[in-house]
């Protein structure tokens, strides 16, 4: 049996995340979304309550399984801690880590990367518009992915009061952001 997990800040979740979720829900026996509490590379200026991020994920994706392991840690959480947790909890599963290319390109700097590469397969969603050379080649599957916006860019658009259509961010999520005055 195959389990995949997709971690991140989801700050905010956007349609690129949703495309990844849809793809993975079809490909794996079990699929978990694992929002972080405090990522090692988190920018404190854009941190947002995990409650808001989870609420937005649930609005956007009705049928997802959210695992709160990292949120419960309330500390900087390194991915290898999450992998240890998943290995222990899901003993009969082969584990896949789902990443966007932006995170994949930073893997070489991740804490305990050898443990990660030795214990999971990686499914990387590669942006068609990005031409960076990827230097890690073992146990990696690449999926072409064409979503040109990051959460950073979306937050900037919200702050600048630019129009954002439902191809970028789910309309229910956008309404939630406006209702709660997030990112302004």
């Amino acid at each position: 049996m195959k389990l995949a997990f997709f971690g991140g800040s989801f700050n905010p979740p956007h349609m690129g995340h949703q495309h990844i979720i849809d793809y993975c829900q079809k490909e794996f026996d079990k699929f978990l979304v694992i929002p972080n509490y405090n990522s090692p590379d988190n920018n404190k200026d854009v941190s947002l309550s995990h409650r808001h991020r989870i609420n937005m994920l649930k609005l956007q994706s009705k049928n997802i399984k959210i695992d709160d392991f990292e949120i419960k840690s309330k500390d900087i959480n390194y991915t290898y801690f999450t992998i240890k947790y998943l290995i222990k909890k899901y003993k009969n599963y082969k584990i896949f880590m789902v990443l966007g290319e932006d995170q994949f390109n930073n893997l070489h700097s991740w804490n305990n990367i050898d443990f990660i590469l030795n214990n999971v397969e990686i499914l990387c969603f590669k942006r068609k518009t990005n031409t960076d050379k990827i230097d890690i080649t073992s146990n990696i599957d690449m999926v072409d992915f064409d979503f040109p916006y990051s959460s950073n860019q979306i937050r900037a658009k919200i702050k600048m009061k630019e129009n954002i259509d439902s191809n970028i961010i789910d309309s229910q999520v956008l309404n939630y952001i406006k209702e709660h005055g997030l990112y302004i």
Side-chain angles (χ1 to χ4, degrees):
M1 305 233 319
K2 299 188 305 184
L3 173 144
F5 74 98
F6 183 27
S9 63
F10 305 102
N11 189 20
H14 52 66
M15 295 311 291
H17 294 133
Q18 187 60 47
H19 297 315
I20 292 170
I21 289 167
D22 291 343
Y23 179 94
C24 290
Q25 285 179 322
K26 293 175 189 167
E27 294 294 314
F28 296 97
D29 300 303
K30 185 174 280 294
F31 177 68
L32 304 173
V33 174
I34 305 180
N36 61 33
Y37 181 80
N38 190 4
S39 172
D41 61 352
N42 187 27
N43 179 343
K44 301 291 184 205
D45 294 337
V46 296
S47 63
L48 183 68
S49 157
H50 67 272
R51 179 181 56 86
H52 286 307
R53 294 181 290 126
I54 288 174
N55 288 343
M56 289 187 288
L57 275 166
K58 287 179 178 178
L59 283 171
Q60 176 176 285
S61 303
K62 306 294 186 237
N63 298 317
I64 60 168
K65 170 78 171 124
I66 297 173
D67 189 301
D68 62 0
F69 170 76
E70 290 190 14
I71 287 172
K72 284 182 176 177
S73 75
K74 294 188 178 178
D75 201 357
I76 291 177
N77 193 71
Y78 294 102
T79 300
Y80 81 93
F81 293 148
T82 302
I83 292 169
K84 285 182 176 183
Y85 156 76
L86 292 171
I87 289 169
K88 185 176 180 181
K89 185 171 181 178
Y90 298 99
K91 292 180 169 86
N92 296 323
Y93 285 84
K94 182 175 183 177
I95 299 174
F96 292 76
M97 179 171 63
V98 177
L99 307 165
E101 186 177 11
D102 53 342
Q103 288 299 316
F104 181 78
N105 285 330
N106 294 323
L107 269 180
H108 63 279
S109 65
W110 285 22
N111 196 307
N112 216 343
I113 186 60
D114 291 335
F115 176 85
I116 294 170
L117 293 174
N118 289 326
N119 285 280
V120 298
E121 298 288 320
I122 295 175
L123 181 61
C124 174
F125 285 79
K126 180 176 177 11
R127 292 183 192 270
K128 291 178 182 178
T129 58
N130 193 333
T131 58
D132 291 349
K133 181 168 173 55
I134 297 172
D135 59 355
I136 299 174
T137 57
S138 64
N139 69 332
I140 311 296
D141 286 326
M142 304 299 272
V143 176
D144 283 335
F145 178 64
D146 195 13
F147 188 79
Y149 301 98
S150 69
S151 291
N152 280 343
Q153 292 168 319
I154 293 169
R155 286 193 305 270
K157 285 179 168 293
I158 292 168
K159 188 172 185 163
M160 299 300 292
K161 298 183 180 358
E162 292 180 23
N163 286 335
I164 301 173
D165 69 35
S166 60
N167 292 324
I168 298 172
I169 194 165
D170 182 275
S171 60
Q172 291 182 77
V173 172
L174 190 56
N175 288 338
Y176 182 93
I177 289 168
K178 289 176 182 176
E179 179 182 325
H180 294 280
L182 306 179
Y183 311 118
I184 55 174

